[in-house]
Amino acid sequence: MDGERRGPGFWILAVFFTIFVLFLYGPLSTIFILSFQGPEGGLTFPMNGVSFRWFVNLFETQAVGDFGGAFSRSLVLGLMVMGATVVVSLLAGLAFRRPFFGSTPLFYTAIASLIVPSILVSLGIGLLFQVIGIRSAWYSSGFGAHLTWALPFGLLIMFAVFNRFNPSYEEAARDLGATPWQTFSHVVLPLILPSLIGVGLFGFTLSYDEFARTLMTSGSFNTLPLEIYGMTTNVTTPVLYALGTVTTGFSLLIIVLALGGIYLSQRSRRRAG
Amino acid sequence: MAEITADNAIAEPVPVAKRRIRFDSAASYLQALPLAIILGVFLVLPIATIVMVSFWDYDSIRIIPDFITLNYEETLFSWITWKTYLNTLKYTVIVWTLTMAIGFWVAYFLAFHIRTTTMQMVLFLICTVPFLTSNIIRMISWIPFLGRNGLINSTLIQVGVIDAPLEFLLFSDFAVVLAMVHLYTLFMVVPVFNTMMRIDRSLIEAARDAGANAFQILTNVIIPLSKPGLAIGTIFVVTLTMGDFITVRFMSGGQSASVGLMIANQISLLQYPAAAANAVVLLVVVLLMVAGILRVVNIRKEL
């Protein structure tokens, strides 16, 4: 197709794609604009002046809930899930490069983890903790629940990475007398580092936004999505939109940081090699 | 012809697992152990617990270890369950059709019409960014559009198309389907795009040289070779829609039911054994659907 003139098919699909992107971003940009609603403004247009009233409102101690606490819990939990996803997916990805007894059932269990409806995972972990008499908490049962969602994605990414990985680099390292650990740390790890950052990013955002799997597993303290859900049922001011803007902005910040990390690691690799 | 080319196009270079790597074999087990433990404790055990508790008894304050089949009888012989399943299936079929129709063309555009990898990645990232925002935030964001005084209603009234605001926009089946398409289309785009990127471009050249027009290339080459991606996307969309409760609760304003919502309601009423029996039924239905999809399309080459 390269080098040809763009046919009508391209333009029709380009318009279709643009509409799709507008469909994805339209509602989000609306709440972004409306979060700057004036003090007297409501949940819909028109804008009644412009202010930071609702952002201030969000960070004030208020009757509706504990935004700061929920945010810091979600942040810590997201970081925990991020770290665990990177380490566990990397190890499992390495393991799956060789056939081992039980690899097929383990693989299907990981896939099942994606297919089992979230509410079931939530219910199951909640019940399990109740039956064995351990209190649910966001850092124990909630952490595990989030891992059942983040790890399979991490594992699939690692599969894709190792599928494309050229093992002759490792062979070269071994021929030069590197130990398995040296081969891993000096050859394999630097090559897959950008993908690992991607896995971590995935783990973080999956956890940061997870609602269904947190429902029965977070214990007595809310995570951010639960807090947001609580607010949707009893808050009728644009403070809800301010919350949406702040959390979305934070997600974007994390992505930009991660992409920056990938860019830097690739640049340093190019410079080194 | 499609069958033969499918095998050639998707075949992996060399299955990684078959390459010989000189590590001691205990390493594989140690490396796989954390994943196995986590999935065992937080997936397998909890599902076993659900199955166990689904046979337990309960009263208004606690659950009582027992072996009764009442929970299943109440689930399976209630017309509400059947009605709810029917409604959930309705959502699933509509959302699946829409996400596939949209997702296929978005992936097709990115894979076959965008010429540089950089541009592909940029456009792809543009599609992924909203996915990284909380589902609930994305649902809330429909309020200013669909609400009684929302953008759509006020625009239509100003233009003079309607006199009174349309009530069906928000808190309706329409809103539920719209939000689900908004939330889940990406789960279709990613696998389909991934499969399309692996299609050997020389096959398309060959088809063109053999005299196929664009439509024939699409139906005889691209669609058959995209089937594994479409199947994976379908599995995602179907399982997400079947288990969804938050979109249904929020966007229907509590006016519609889904199986997931029924389970969530039983949980909030602390009727855990009833919720568990319901959950087992849902799990069986979802697994049967996935098995059905896998019978139609072989996705193993994709993994």
Side-chain angles (χ1 to χ4, degrees):
Chain A
M1 328 203 121
D2 297 64
E4 269 173 46
R5 276 191 55 222
R6 301 289 199 190
F10 169 80
W11 295 108
I12 295 168
L13 284 175
V15 170
F16 183 78
F17 182 78
T18 313
I19 294 171
F20 177 68
V21 170
L22 285 177
F23 170 66
L24 288 181
Y25 282 82
L28 283 176
S29 26
T30 318
I31 66 160
F32 175 73
I33 297 168
L34 282 173
S35 61
F36 296 97
Q37 182 73 277
E40 303 299 317
L43 283 173
T44 51
F45 284 107
M47 292 287 280
N48 226 326
V50 174
S51 73
F52 290 100
R53 174 81 196 84
W54 306 107
F55 290 96
V56 175
N57 195 251
L58 189 62
F59 290 99
E60 282 166 0
T61 21
Q62 49 189 317
V64 281
D66 173 23
F67 169 68
F71 174 74
S72 54
R73 277 188 286 275
S74 270
L75 180 62
V76 174
L77 182 56
L79 292 173
M80 283 164 64
V81 172
M82 181 172 93
T85 308
V86 169
V87 173
V88 176
S89 323
L90 171 63
L91 285 174
L94 289 170
F96 274 102
R97 296 180 78 190
R98 286 159 40 86
F100 62 94
F101 180 74
S103 60
T104 312
L106 182 60
F107 172 72
Y108 281 111
T109 314
I111 296 301
S113 195
L114 290 181
I115 291 171
V116 173
S118 297
I119 180 95
L120 291 194
V121 177
S122 200
L123 174 66
I125 297 176
L127 283 176
L128 175 68
F129 273 58
Q130 207 170 326
V131 168
I132 56 179
I134 304 174
R135 237 172 229 277
S136 301
W138 59 269
Y139 47 81
S140 56
S141 47
F143 178 54
H146 285 197
L147 283 179
T148 62
W149 186 226
L151 282 181
F153 280 110
L155 187 65
L156 288 178
I157 299 175
M158 289 321 296
F159 278 180
V161 170
F162 283 126
N163 257 328
R164 279 188 225 127
F165 191 84
N166 186 350
S168 52
Y169 293 126
E170 284 165 283
E171 278 154 28
R174 265 195 303 276
D175 291 346
L176 291 170
T179 64
W181 172 250
Q182 284 172 325
T183 309
F184 174 74
S185 61
H186 294 303
V187 179
V188 179
L189 193 60
L191 284 172
I192 62 171
L193 194 61
S195 312
L196 281 183
I197 297 175
V199 169
L201 175 67
F202 233 84
F204 180 85
T205 49
L206 287 175
S207 162
Y208 180 70
D209 295 333
E210 181 52 45
F211 176 78
R213 285 176 199 239
T214 330
L215 192 64
M216 271 199 76
T217 57
S218 72
S220 29
F221 294 104
N222 276 352
T223 60
L224 196 56
L226 293 177
E227 189 70 23
I228 296 170
Y229 182 70
M231 286 177 81
T232 60
T233 56
N234 57 28
V235 175
T236 51
T237 60
V239 71
L240 209 55
Y241 298 154
L243 181 62
T245 300
V246 169
T247 53
T248 307
F250 185 74
S251 287
L252 282 178
L253 180 75
I254 295 282
I255 297 158
V256 169
L257 286 177
L259 289 179
I262 292 174
Y263 173 74
L264 284 180
S265 77
Q266 273 177 337
R267 204 180 60 171
S268 70
R269 193 171 80 199
R270 229 172 282 142
R271 201 172 284 165
Chain B
M1 178 213 157
E3 277 309 304
I4 304 163
T5 50
D7 287 342
N8 293 341
I10 305 175
E12 289 297 317
V14 182
V16 178
K18 283 184 190 145
R19 290 186 195 128
R20 288 213 178 149
I21 298 159
R22 274 182 289 124
F23 273 105
D24 35 345
S25 62
S28 283
Y29 292 98
L30 283 177
Q31 286 164 342
L33 198 61
L35 180 70
I37 291 174
I38 291 169
L39 290 178
V41 173
F42 290 105
L43 185 76
V44 178
L45 264 185
I47 289 176
T49 313
I50 291 183
V51 174
M52 179 177 80
V53 172
S54 69
F55 293 103
W56 285 16
D57 202 357
Y58 63 100
D59 58 27
S60 52
I61 46 163
R62 68 208 160 106
I63 50 179
I64 306 148
D66 200 349
F67 188 85
I68 55 167
T69 51
L70 185 68
N71 300 314
Y72 284 100
E73 284 160 33
E74 281 179 352
T75 305
L76 293 173
F77 298 119
S78 136
W79 64 275
I80 298 175
T81 310
W82 289 89
K83 226 179 116 185
T84 312
Y85 265 92
L86 218 60
N87 200 42
T88 314
L89 280 176
K90 181 185 79 184
Y91 287 141
T92 307
V93 170
I94 299 174
V95 172
W96 173 58
T97 314
L98 290 174
T99 50
M100 189 148 80
I102 300 169
F104 179 84
W105 288 112
V106 168
Y108 179 83
F109 177 71
L110 290 178
F112 291 109
H113 279 298
I114 302 301
R115 288 167 184 171
T116 63
T117 342
T118 321
M119 198 59 198
Q120 270 175 344
M121 279 338 286
V122 169
L123 292 179
F124 193 76
L125 273 179
I126 288 178
C127 292
T128 359
V129 165
F131 166 74
L132 300 162
T133 301
S134 150
N135 285 1
I136 301 167
I137 298 283
R138 288 202 278 164
M139 287 178 224
I140 295 167
S141 66
W142 283 107
I143 296 176
F145 268 89
L146 304 177
R148 270 202 99 215
N149 307 312
L151 274 179
I152 295 179
N153 273 326
S154 48
T155 312
L156 287 179
I157 290 176
Q158 264 176 359
V159 176
V161 181
I162 50 169
D163 300 324
L166 298 170
E167 298 286 351
F168 78 87
L169 288 177
L170 193 60
F171 303 140
S172 61
D173 280 352
F174 167 78
V176 172
V177 170
L178 184 75
M180 283 182 174
V181 171
H182 194 222
L183 294 172
Y184 300 149
T185 300
L186 191 79
F187 285 93
M188 188 64 88
V189 174
V190 173
V192 176
F193 174 73
N194 197 24
T195 313
M196 283 177 171
M197 289 304 286
R198 294 195 201 179
I199 296 177
D200 189 343
R201 295 304 188 262
S202 57
L203 289 173
I204 294 163
E205 293 297 326
R208 185 169 298 139
D209 292 346
N213 60 31
F215 181 73
Q216 285 170 323
I217 293 175
L218 182 71
T219 51
N220 291 327
V221 182
I222 294 173
I223 291 180
L225 293 179
S226 303
K227 270 186 189 163
L230 287 167
I232 295 175
T234 301
I235 291 174
F236 269 124
V237 172
V238 165
T239 53
L240 284 166
T241 319
M242 285 299 292
D244 187 287
F245 66 101
I246 171 78
T247 318
V248 177
R249 177 185 279 168
F250 194 87
M251 296 306 284
S252 80
Q255 310 202 18
S256 291
S258 77
V259 184
L261 185 54
M262 189 159 68
I263 297 172
N265 286 339
Q266 284 167 332
I267 291 174
S268 63
L269 293 170
L270 304 182
Q271 300 170 342
Y272 295 130
N278 216 331
V280 171
V281 175
L282 174 63
L283 186 62
V284 170
V285 171
V286 168
L287 290 180
L288 285 177
M289 291 173 101
V290 172
I293 297 165
L294 293 180
R295 277 190 78 94
V296 180
V297 183
N298 179 15
I299 62 165
R300 211 156 296 168
K301 290 177 198 137
E302 282 297 288
L303 301 169

